[in-house]
Amino acid sequence: QVQLVESGGDSVQAGGSLRLSCAASLYRYNAYSMAWFRQFPGKERDGVAGISPGGGQLYADSVKGRFTISRDNAKNRLYLQMDSLKPDDTAMYYCAASRKWSLQPSDYDYWGPGTQVTVSS
């Protein structure tokens, strides 16, 4: 059974930090690329950061230098460290798993229910 569950979303002030976590129940978790996506109200989901089974990383231009994706394969955990948060980062954040290496939502097979991040000015 596949299950992804995000945690760590919160309401913070601009300039603050949050760390999101994703607990993944996946057969052969370490064979999947993992990623974080976010969705603004009324918009499609956009890629934030992705990480390959071996640790290669992709970032959206909007978060480079501020966000860091990581994974702990021993714990089946995915993380997103978010620093220097901006009000524009306010969104629902989703954890996702794919057998492809991409940051395209259509390439991802499994999704968590999301965790809300709200950044106030």
Side-chain angles (χ1 to χ4, degrees):
Q1 184 176 0
V2 175
Q3 187 176 62
L4 306 178
V5 181
E6 304 93 340
S7 62
D10 206 347
S11 180
V12 299
Q13 293 186 2
S17 297
L18 285 173
R19 189 177 76 161
L20 305 184
S21 297
C22 174
S25 179
L26 283 167
Y27 178 64
R28 298 183 67 183
Y29 164 81
N30 61 2
Y32 286 86
S33 294
M34 302 293 295
W36 291 97
F37 294 82
R38 64 187 180 185
Q39 186 170 23
F40 306 107
K43 303 293 185 180
E44 299 293 326
R45 294 182 186 183
D46 291 326
V48 176
I51 186 165
S52 73
Q57 300 170 27
L58 291 173
Y59 293 95
D61 288 342
S62 59
V63 306
K64 286 181 179 178
R66 299 189 299 119
F67 292 8
T68 304
I69 190 170
S70 62
R71 66 191 295 164
D72 186 338
N73 287 341
K75 297 180 178 179
N76 286 17
R77 285 267 180 167
L78 177 72
Y79 304 98
L80 184 67
Q81 178 66 43
M82 304 186 294
D83 298 319
S84 301
L85 283 162
K86 305 174 181 179
D88 287 349
D89 296 318
T90 296
M92 185 72 76
Y93 284 73
Y94 297 89
C95 171
S98 175
R99 286 176 285 187
K100 298 179 180 178
W101 176 228
S102 83
L103 205 53
Q104 296 294 323
S106 61
D107 287 332
Y108 280 74
D109 303 302
Y110 307 111
W111 297 83
T115 186
Q116 179 67 39
V117 172
T118 301
V119 185
S120 60
S121 60

